[in-house]
Amino acid sequence: MSGPVVAGVDGSRRSLTAAEWAAREAARRGVALRLVHACPPLPRRVSPVPGVDAWQNVGEQMLGQTVADFRARLPELGIEGEHTDTEPAEALLTAAASAGLLVVGARGWGGFEGLAVGSVALRVAAMADCPVVTVPEERRTGGGWDGTEADEVQLGFDAHAPAEAPTAFAFRAAQERGVPLRVVHAWALPPASPSAWMLTVLEEDRATWEDQESQVVSDALRPWREGCPEVPVVPDVVLLNPAEALVRTSKRAGLLVIGRRTATRPAQLRLGPVAHAVLHHAHCPVAVVPHPPPEPFEP
């Protein structure tokens, strides 16, 4: 996590909002900010040679102006620009290999009105070697990301199989911001399984279940609380679908942290259903942190 913070920029307002978020994060970490612009070449049949050259020149000029603007406003921060003629997702994945954090706008110039998260953001969140933060253009409850972030960091947490990397990322983020960490542990029955009888039993036993789950969460968090006593921790045990629980609680967050299992085969590099839903519907920036899958159970 000591590498630079990398942000993808394409000149769109969304990407510049993400770059501003990345700059603040780089300043918190005391590392450099690298702005990456990818401009794949136009096919020759689409544009004559002068048009191809102009296409690249416009991209280089946009990046140069963006870097100059950031350097003028943030002279204490080391800022560099990188222009490449590869596809955007490939360029960002390459940059992520040596980065401590990759930051992207939820959407760039592509897509269509109403699309929450674009293909580039989804691909890098699913495949990058480092944590990836997707930044929405603005709060869906009003207000932009101008530095006045909400008063807590949130972590999606499975207390029965806690993942170290996302938990460490969330504690560090809360520590750097000087805010509490809300740890959301959610659980719900599979959609096809409940019957009226089961739901009745579930309601009667709800308090018992919550007490048991709260104890599991407390036990799982104890080493982290002892290691970071300065971070106020708020356990939040919710009887709700995990994705819905995280989207709801994200309304009060400045950053929501979730995990993504790494994979050994390319076909397995994808986001799970919870991460996919959270990226599309969360009300705040979302950090997707890769972590190894749990060790197989051996009786």
Side-chain angles (χ1 to χ4, degrees):
M1 296 181 70
S2 60
V5 173
V6 173
V9 293
D10 62 5
S12 67
R13 182 173 60 183
R14 298 178 182 91
S15 75
L16 294 177
T17 298
E20 295 282 357
W21 194 98
R24 294 194 297 275
E25 186 65 20
R28 289 190 189 102
R29 296 180 176 214
V31 299
L33 172 67
R34 185 192 307 165
L35 301 179
V36 176
H37 176 250
C39 187
L42 293 173
R44 297 290 180 177
R45 66 179 183 276
V46 173
S47 177
V49 173
V52 172
D53 294 339
W55 173 256
Q56 292 294 328
N57 290 338
V58 168
E60 292 175 354
Q61 291 173 10
M62 181 279 298
L63 177 63
Q65 182 59 51
T66 303
V67 170
D69 176 62
F70 272 72
R71 284 175 176 168
R73 292 187 291 110
L74 303 167
E76 73 286 355
L77 189 62
I79 302 172
E80 59 184 28
E82 178 183 338
H83 176 80
T84 173
D85 61 1
T86 57
E87 293 292 335
E90 293 299 329
L92 293 174
L93 289 171
T94 299
S98 59
L101 182 69
L102 174 61
V103 182
V104 294
R107 272 182 57 200
W109 286 116
F112 52 86
E113 191 64 32
L115 180 68
V117 184
S119 59
V120 172
L122 288 174
R123 187 176 176 192
V124 298
M127 300 180 67
D129 294 328
C130 69
V132 176
V133 173
T134 60
V135 181
E137 182 177 4
E138 60 183 17
R139 276 191 174 279
R140 298 183 188 175
T141 53
W145 301 107
D146 57 358
T148 55
E149 297 178 359
D151 60 355
E152 66 180 29
V153 171
Q154 297 177 353
L155 168 66
F157 190 69
D158 181 358
H160 297 281
E164 181 176 354
T167 306
F169 186 100
F171 268 87
R172 174 177 174 173
Q175 182 182 44
E176 291 173 340
R177 289 162 172 75
V179 299
L181 173 62
R182 180 176 298 272
V183 179
V184 183
H185 172 77
W187 177 87
L189 289 171
S193 65
S195 65
W197 177 82
M198 291 174 69
L199 290 174
T200 301
V201 173
L202 185 63
E203 186 64 31
E204 292 174 352
D205 294 343
R206 182 179 186 133
T208 301
W209 173 84
E210 288 182 342
D211 288 344
Q212 293 173 344
E213 292 300 292
S214 295
Q215 187 59 53
V216 173
V217 171
S218 178
D219 292 342
L221 289 175
R222 185 173 296 114
W224 295 97
R225 284 176 136 165
E226 293 173 352
C228 300
E230 67 279 12
V231 176
V233 178
V234 182
D236 194 352
V237 177
V238 186
L239 184 57
L240 195 65
N241 175 276
E244 184 178 359
L246 292 171
V247 169
R248 285 188 181 185
T249 194
S250 71
K251 293 178 181 179
R252 65 167 72 99
L255 178 66
L256 171 60
V257 181
I258 58 177
R260 169 184 65 81
R261 292 181 182 177
T262 56
T264 56
R265 297 195 299 271
Q268 297 174 324
L269 290 169
R270 60 183 180 83
L271 295 171
V274 173
H276 195 273
V278 168
L279 283 176
H280 278 84
H281 299 288
H283 299 268
C284 68
V286 177
V288 179
V289 182
H291 64 88
E295 295 293 331
F297 174 74
E298 296 183 4

